[in-house]
Amino acid sequence: MKKGLAGVVVDYTAVSKVNPDTNSLLYRGYPVQELAAKCSFEQVAYLLWNGELPNEAQLAEFTARERAGRALDPALRLIIDALPEDGHPMDVCRTAASILGARHELTGDSSPEANMKKAIDLWAAMPAVVAFDQRRRHGLDLVEPREDLDYSANFLWMTFGEDPVDEVVEAFNVSMILYAEHSFNASTFSARVVTSTLSDLHSAVTAAIGALKGPLHGGANEAVMHTFDEIGIRSEEAMEEAAVRARAWMEDALAQKKKVMGFGHRVYKHGDSRVTTMKAALDKMIAHYGRHELLGLYNGLELAMDEAKAIKPNLDYPAGPTYHLMGFDTPTFTPIFVASRITGWTAHIMEQLASNSLIRPLSEYNGHEQRPV
Ligand SMILES: CC(=O)SCCNC(=O)CCNC(=O)[C@H](O)C(C)(C)COP(=O)(O)OP(=O)(O)OC[C@H]1O[C@@H](n2cnc3c(N)ncnc32)[C@H](O)[C@@H]1OP(=O)(O)O
Ligand SMILES: O=C([O-])CC(=O)C(=O)O
């Protein structure tokens, strides 16, 4: 038996390759670091779905389709408005994916063409959901999308209602690319399990959102910020002092055998391939906003964890404080991950359908022996 399916290979995939030995991650053969440095999130989404990067004409057509699908569906808006403001934004995302599926013009059609359209439409629609939900929790109105902005810039625009600064857009774009895809992680695998029953794309994505919400998976980026808050963010504090307090917090947490979110990984045991790139984006945001005390907290926790257990940070660790600096509220962090990972999930859904076999493992029974009623 392999508890948690650790180390078990269950199928082929051509979407991405995670190699913990070389600490590399390839999307359709391209190193993710190179994609993050040279591409827009739109180019990467196209790559994940089509297997190749787009040429100029393909990219123009693709971005036009995405931009045409950005507005918040009025019927969905009414439903979001009816959800409690103190509920979790991941519940809003999950509900939105389900409603958008039920209302999609091609609902009931799971042909490759219909699924590609559904994937693009869902990806295009999600920033409006996430941005509107953050705004309504702060008593603010919906901001309409702008067709002159790319996906990342428009996401920031719809959240904050201000012209986004190029440096911030760049860091956000990097995070979207890094979060887009990671082989058979728990949420992607959930999507594939649902798809393997020949259920529909939106049902599979809804299940994936449920899996991503947990703190052992995508919910960790939110949990990282809770750790920072628990240690205490003091904006005027010197970096070194913040680091000392963070180290003490970590030593105490580990002495109590706590799991600290944002560290460790099921596949990478010597560090997550994406962290260096995301940390560079965080460093830029720390310099941009002049918040070096956050770097102190970041370094203090990382060093103390490394010394005590040699466990390295995962992508959620630098992503959490990056989103905090940009002005997202903490429960919005995992919904941002959703908007990005829709690309990877749906690429896997289409791949699963193209070569399907029902996913149904076995279990070892350890309950009562047979007994009479
Ligand atoms: C985008 C993503 O989804 S990345 C993952 C995000 N998740 C997190 O950050 C949650 C925190 N991390 C964890 O819980 C784990 O590292 C997981 C679930 C991600 C992977 O865990 P697994 O491969 O199952 O390893 P497992 O949980 O068995 O840990 C192995 C050992 O390392 C320890 N360990 C692993 N991660 C951590 C952590 N974050 N904090 C403290 N100890 C840890 C475990 O306590 C265990 O120690 P033990 O052998 O003394 O009992
Ligand atoms: O691969 C995993 O198990 C989790 C992860 O890092 C991701 O989904 O990005």
Side-chain angles (χ1 to χ4, degrees), residues 215-218 220 254 258-266 269 274 305 309 311 314 316 337:
L216 295 191
H217 192 12
L254 294 180
K258 280 191 188 159
K259 269 213 164 170
V260 183
M261 304 304 155
F263 289 89
H265 199 277
R266 172 57 70 77
K269 295 300 177 196
R274 303 159 292 185
M305 178 62 107
K309 298 190 78 136
I311 296 175
N314 57 55
D316 287 322
F337 191 163

Side-chain angles (χ1 to χ4, degrees), residues 195-262:
T195 304
S196 81
T197 71
L198 300 184
S199 183
D200 66 290
L201 179 141
H202 287 88
S203 296
V205 170
T206 303
I209 294 173
L212 192 74
K213 183 182 178 188
L216 295 191
H217 192 12
N221 62 6
E222 170 179 344
V224 167
M225 217 54 229
H226 294 314
T227 299
F228 277 42
D229 285 336
E230 204 181 308
I231 299 166
I233 299 172
R234 300 176 188 164
S235 54
E236 302 302 318
E237 189 175 35
M239 202 170 97
E240 295 72 18
E241 282 166 27
V244 170
R245 287 193 305 112
R247 282 180 78 110
W249 183 95
M250 180 63 95
E251 283 158 13
D252 188 45
L254 294 180
Q256 294 178 50
K257 304 250 175 279
K258 280 191 188 159
K259 269 213 164 170
V260 183
M261 304 304 155

Side-chain angles (χ1 to χ4, degrees), residues 135-354:
R135 290 182 70 80
R136 86 184 172 112
R137 282 184 281 108
H138 293 271
L140 300 168
D141 261 350
L142 172 75
V143 171
E144 294 298 338
R146 271 180 43 192
E147 286 209 20
D148 60 317
L149 299 176
D150 71 11
Y151 190 96
S152 296
N154 179 62
F155 202 141
L156 294 163
W157 160 256
M158 290 189 82
T159 308
F160 304 111
E162 289 165 9
D163 274 328
V165 176
D166 288 348
E167 249 183 312
V168 178
V169 175
E170 210 176 289
F172 191 72
N173 185 63
V174 165
S175 79
M176 297 304 271
I177 291 173
L178 296 178
Y179 264 141
E181 161 58 15
H182 211 240
S183 76
F184 278 40
N185 57 82
S187 56
T188 302
F189 190 60
S190 306
R192 290 190 77 127
V193 170
V194 173
T195 304
S196 81
T197 71
L198 300 184
S199 183
D200 66 290
L201 179 141
H202 287 88
S203 296
V205 170
T206 303
I209 294 173
L212 192 74
K213 183 182 178 188
L216 295 191
H217 192 12
N221 62 6
E222 170 179 344
V224 167
M225 217 54 229
H226 294 314
T227 299
F228 277 42
D229 285 336
E230 204 181 308
I231 299 166
I233 299 172
R234 300 176 188 164
S235 54
E236 302 302 318
E237 189 175 35
M239 202 170 97
E240 295 72 18
E241 282 166 27
V244 170
R245 287 193 305 112
R247 282 180 78 110
W249 183 95
M250 180 63 95
E251 283 158 13
D252 188 45
L254 294 180
Q256 294 178 50
K257 304 250 175 279
K258 280 191 188 159
K259 269 213 164 170
V260 183
M261 304 304 155
F263 289 89
H265 199 277
R266 172 57 70 77
V267 182
Y268 299 115
K269 295 300 177 196
H270 312 289
D272 180 326
S273 63
R274 303 159 292 185
V275 165
T276 308
T277 311
M278 194 61 228
K279 173 63 173 24
L282 170 62
D283 285 340
K284 284 186 190 160
M285 290 301 94
I286 282 173
H288 177 77
Y289 291 104
R291 295 285 304 278
H292 292 86
E293 89 285 0
L294 287 177
L295 189 57
L297 295 179
Y298 185 101
N299 289 339
L301 289 174
E302 184 182 5
L303 260 172
M305 178 62 107
D306 198 33
E307 282 173 14
K309 298 190 78 136
I311 296 175
K312 311 290 180 197
N314 57 55
L315 174 58
D316 287 322
Y317 189 56
T322 303
Y323 293 148
H324 171 78
L325 283 168
M326 289 172 176
F328 289 100
D329 62 12
T330 303
T332 300
F333 297 178
T334 317
I336 299 170
F337 191 163
V338 167
S340 164
R341 187 56 64 89
I342 280 172
T343 58
W345 288 331
T346 51
H348 279 273
I349 289 167
M350 292 186 261
E351 185 179 67
Q352 176 73 34
L353 267 183

Side-chain angles (χ1 to χ4, degrees), residues 40-46 59 62-63 66-67 123 150-151:
S40 66
F41 180 40
E42 288 89 324
Q43 287 171 298
V44 172
Y46 185 100
L59 184 62
F62 181 70
T63 53
E66 185 272 310
R67 287 174 198 212
W123 171 62
D150 71 11
Y151 190 96

Side-chain angles (χ1 to χ4, degrees), residues 8-23:
V8 177
V9 176
V10 299
D11 206 343
Y12 292 101
T13 181
V15 184
S16 70
K17 179 176 179 180
V18 178
N19 189 336
D21 299 327
T22 53
N23 199 21

